[in-house]
Amino acid sequence: MSNPSYIYKLVPSSSPVPDELPERLPLSELDATSGFIHLSTAKQIPGTLKHFFADHDQVYVLRIEYAKVEKEIRWESPDAKVCGERGGEGFFPHLYNGGRLGSGEIESVAVWNRTSGNWDEALEKAESWLLY
């Protein structure tokens, strides 16, 4: 497996990402409990949206240059107890750096809106921004 250029963190609109990124964003409950920051590759984002953001109308998508965090990433299998099997999606990037994710790690932020009950249109509009 070759390393991706970028990896992504999805954040619900209930935890807004400020225009000016701080040095460290607050951790989600899942990340704090897990002891690492859950991330996705571009290929994994549709499944992450489906399993974790189906009831949200808006998400922030944080794009992180992989080379900046590579030394702190572990590629791990998703826990099927949380969202069931995620066949074909492979291992997920998990960031083990003491919960630090902010201005030093995040390259850019996009805001996606769910329409017609799904994320298809948002994914289509983001195609040129969502880099592999």
Side-chain angles (χ1 to χ4, degrees), residues 4 6-8 36-41 44 66 73-76 91-96:
Y6 294 93
I7 50 179
Y8 300 87
F36 58 84
I37 297 174
H38 293 261
L39 302 170
S40 298
T41 64
Q44 295 164 337
Y66 183 76
I73 293 290
R74 292 186 203 161
W75 291 90
E76 300 173 319
F91 289 90
F92 282 74
H94 294 154
L95 181 61
Y96 287 85

Side-chain angles (χ1 to χ4, degrees), residues 38-85:
H38 293 261
L39 302 170
S40 298
T41 64
K43 179 182 175 185
Q44 295 164 337
I45 284 180
T48 300
L49 287 168
K50 176 184 173 186
H51 292 291
F52 292 99
F53 296 91
D55 295 334
H56 296 269
D57 290 326
Q58 187 178 68
V59 296
Y60 295 91
V61 185
L62 314 179
R63 186 166 70 187
I64 302 158
E65 189 177 345
Y66 183 76
K68 284 187 176 182
V69 295
E70 180 175 10
K71 292 180 180 166
E72 300 166 315
I73 293 290
R74 292 186 203 161
W75 291 90
E76 300 173 319
S77 181
D79 185 352
K81 294 180 284 187
V82 175
C83 63
E85 293 295 327

